[in-house]
Amino acid sequence: MKHKLARKDWPTDSATSARMRLVRQSSTAPEQRVQRVLRVIGMRFSVGLKSIPGTPDLCSKKYRWAIFIHGCFWHNHANCSHATLPQRNRAAWLAKIEGNKTRDRLVIRRLKKQGYATLVFWECQTHDPNRLQKRLDSFFSQQVANVAYLRVSC
């Protein structure tokens, strides 16, 4: 059985606590970059709908798609320089990040069972608007093909 450390049990100094309080949970710069590109390509979306499993960063209930923008550190982006594990409280951080990854997999599985198409962007992938647009265009063109297929096959 894994031992989970409650966050209140983590030894931290006041400087670390102050720095962590500044970390935003919504309306982050990577989210805003993806939102900007979605607006450019004419997509309408909702932000952080709690009625959808996992509270996706961006989603459409009507068209059944959800986009998550993961922070490279918080979700441990493989082979990314931003995903380094802190030396201090290493076991607690490892448990926290592994919990995030497990929850991410469960949420995406649940959304797919409910008929949602999902897309995950990593924070480091949101800096180039042209690459963002290509990936979003590909995602939504696949969505349109799936919807057209479903309509024809019914």
Side-chain angles (χ1 to χ4, degrees):
M1 184 169 98
K2 291 183 184 177
H3 174 67
K4 270 189 154 179
L5 285 174
R7 237 179 261 154
K8 65 181 180 185
D9 296 336
W10 292 20
T12 57
D13 56 28
S14 59
T16 301
S17 292
R19 190 170 53 253
M20 295 309 289
R21 272 194 298 276
L22 295 175
V23 176
R24 298 184 80 161
Q25 292 184 6
S26 62
S27 194
T28 63
E31 286 177 30
Q32 291 173 357
R33 289 190 286 264
V34 175
Q35 289 174 11
R36 202 171 302 127
V37 174
L38 283 171
R39 285 187 199 99
V40 165
I41 63 175
M43 295 302 297
R44 297 186 64 143
F45 56 89
S46 297
V47 177
L49 274 184
K50 293 183 195 280
S51 61
I52 297 178
T55 313
D57 297 306
L58 309 166
C59 61
S60 170
K61 260 182 147 173
K62 180 178 180 180
Y63 296 107
R64 303 190 76 72
W65 56 262
I67 296 176
F68 294 91
I69 297 102
H70 288 339
C72 296
F73 170 76
W74 295 105
H75 299 266
N76 196 26
H77 187 197
N79 303 317
C80 179
S81 62
H82 301 288
T84 58
L85 203 56
Q87 295 299 315
R88 190 166 176 203
N89 300 328
R90 195 169 185 81
W93 280 111
L94 188 59
K96 164 71 176 149
I97 291 170
E98 284 303 316
N100 289 349
K101 291 168 61 175
T102 300
R103 186 185 65 241
D104 295 340
R105 285 189 297 272
L106 292 173
V107 163
I108 287 176
R109 192 175 307 137
R110 188 170 170 200
L111 284 168
K112 286 185 177 182
K113 279 184 180 178
Q114 292 182 12
Y116 279 84
T118 60
L119 179 63
V120 174
F121 280 107
W122 292 96
E123 177 182 6
C124 65
Q125 297 171 333
T126 64
H127 295 287
D128 182 354
N130 293 326
R131 285 183 68 192
L132 270 177
Q133 184 167 346
K134 283 180 186 174
R135 190 146 173 230
L136 287 165
D137 284 341
S138 173
F139 175 70
F140 289 118
S141 65
Q142 194 173 20
Q143 283 301 102
V144 170
N146 289 342
V147 169
Y149 172 77
L150 289 173
R151 286 186 183 151
V152 169
S153 65
C154 288

